Amino acid sequence: MMAREWQFPLPEKKHKKKYFGNLKIEVIDTGYCCHCAACASICPVEGITAGDAPIDFPNWIKECVDCGACIKVCPRWDYTPKNGLGEYTELVAARSKRFVGQDGAMVTEFTASALEMGIIERAIFVARDSNWRTKIVTVKSPEQLYDRKITGTKYSYADVLPALKEAVLKSEAVGFVGTPCMVTAVRKMQKAFKKFQRVKLSIGLFCTENFYHHQLYEFLLEKANADLRNAVKTDIKKGKFIVEMKDGSKVRIPVKDFEEIIPSGCKVCQDFTAVDSDVSIGSVGSANRFSTVMVRTEVAKQILDYIKEKDYAEFREPKLELVQKLCDHKIKIHPWPPKKKKEED
């Protein structure tokens, strides 16, 4: 991506340092960073690192070219939390008849249908390895989505947006699946850089928190002797983090017990339903093995209509009040501005 393609009005600096130095002070050092990795994906010198560790630019003083791109795309710069249900045009509970996924496999179904319709040429998905570490997969055909390591929820950070940058350089129409903060970051990227207008479908996941893989792995092993290498599924239901093991057993840990490993950036996020997405999908509000689907834009409506026309999914009525309850709960547990230590005590 050539530098001329991201020429835009530079954000105002708040400190007498390079732009990454400003980002470090205002977002990273404050603990507001959501680890969406937008800054890592857009950095022209590729000096910003993400992965299974906090965002960093080890040699920024020397290598940062002071372009301001990182601040331009950061969803936590001059941050005001998004929250609530957001705007939507249609609400359904659905279960794919073609795929098996986390719940109703509707993230998979939307992606597969978008590929069939030609709305997108490729999609960025988060898969996993045998240790449940996240890895990025580029999906170019619906057949790839029958791989169970590609579908399902991993509850760990993944470098989706750096992979998305590579995809928009290779394709005219790209889709991706991401958390609320990732979706908001992509909207900022689309406004700042023309190439990101090639992102034609943003599927947002219902989300309360995410984790660093190494911390989640160690926590589950220490607290419940649950080795993710022997897991087949992870889920969060009714306030419990559930790990289903290969032998059929299930480990259940109260979500509140995970407080010690919740990243600080998640603790200031109030967006449960990914309000900036084209379509939001999650289990809350639907019966077992179904997904709640919130259609927000015309492109998502076209895909849902196609799914109905092809009889690719079974439909029911969701319970919107349950989704609203989780939206309200996330606002309550993640107050903004964040409470200071004295206030918490």
Side-chain angles (χ1 to χ4, degrees), residues 149-180:
K149 287 186 178 180
I150 293 179
T151 61
T153 305
K154 286 78 183 178
Y155 297 108
S156 295
Y157 290 126
D159 288 345
V160 173
L161 299 193
L164 188 66
K165 183 195 76 171
E166 297 302 318
V168 301
L169 294 178
K170 297 175 182 177
S171 300
E172 295 294 327
V174 181
F176 83 101
V177 181
T179 56

Side-chain angles (χ1 to χ4, degrees), residues 77-314:
W77 180 263
D78 284 335
Y79 181 52
T80 299
K82 296 174 182 286
N83 53 41
L85 297 171
E87 295 183 5
Y88 63 94
T89 60
E90 192 165 350
L91 179 72
V92 297
R95 177 170 63 185
S96 173
K97 296 180 180 180
R98 298 195 288 170
F99 300 100
V100 175
Q102 184 75 8
D103 295 288
M106 289 306 293
V107 168
T108 307
E109 185 59 69
F110 257 79
T111 304
S113 294
L115 286 165
E116 287 181 5
M117 296 170 72
I119 289 175
I120 58 174
E121 299 169 3
R122 62 180 68 197
I124 303 303
F125 249 66
V126 178
R128 63 174 177 85
D129 64 15
S130 58
N131 292 327
W132 281 77
R133 285 187 292 258
T134 57
K135 65 178 185 178
I136 302 300
V137 173
T138 299
V139 177
K140 297 181 181 179
S141 70
E143 288 71 30
Q144 288 178 260
L145 294 167
Y146 288 104
D147 184 347
R148 289 292 286 117
K149 287 186 178 180
I150 293 179
T151 61
T153 305
K154 286 78 183 178
Y155 297 108
S156 295
Y157 290 126
D159 288 345
V160 173
L161 299 193
L164 188 66
K165 183 195 76 171
E166 297 302 318
V168 301
L169 294 178
K170 297 175 182 177
S171 300
E172 295 294 327
V174 181
F176 83 101
V177 181
T179 56
C181 58
M182 290 180 188
V183 174
T184 297
V186 169
R187 296 308 186 204
K188 297 190 76 170
M189 294 161 89
Q190 287 176 316
K191 291 179 180 179
F193 311 115
K194 279 188 176 181
K195 282 286 193 293
F196 284 95
Q197 293 173 13
R198 294 178 177 181
V199 178
K200 304 299 182 183
L201 178 63
S202 298
I203 301 176
L205 303 172
F206 289 4
C207 179
T208 304
E209 292 106 3
N210 212 351
F211 302 96
Y212 291 106
H213 173 269
H214 70 278
Q215 291 183 331
L216 180 62
Y217 178 86
E218 293 166 3
F219 179 88
L220 292 172
L221 197 61
E222 178 184 343
K223 298 293 184 180
N225 197 29
D227 192 331
L228 279 175
R229 292 175 295 182
N230 298 320
V232 295
K233 182 179 180 181
T234 57
D235 203 357
I236 294 178
K237 295 280 189 182
K238 297 181 179 179
K240 298 289 177 59
F241 191 102
I242 304 167
V243 184
E244 185 175 337
M245 311 305 289
K246 291 177 181 177
D247 63 6
S249 63
K250 292 184 179 181
V251 174
R252 294 177 172 84
I253 305 174
V255 171
K256 60 181 176 61
D257 291 354
F258 286 75
E259 178 69 22
E260 64 189 80
I261 64 166
I262 295 173
S264 60
C266 288
K267 293 181 180 181
V268 295
C269 176
Q270 298 181 347
D271 187 1
F272 176 70
T273 63
V275 297
D276 284 331
S277 63
D278 292 302
V279 57
S280 302
I281 300 176
S283 64
V284 174
S286 291
N288 188 39
R289 310 307 301 172
F290 277 74
S291 300
T292 299
V293 178
M294 302 180 74
V295 172
R296 302 187 185 277
T297 65
E298 181 57 32
V299 68
K301 178 69 166 64
Q302 292 173 12
I303 298 169
L304 182 61
D305 289 346
Y306 176 84
I307 292 170
K308 291 178 178 179
E309 178 187 336
K310 293 291 186 179
D311 195 29
Y312 281 160
E314 176 185 351

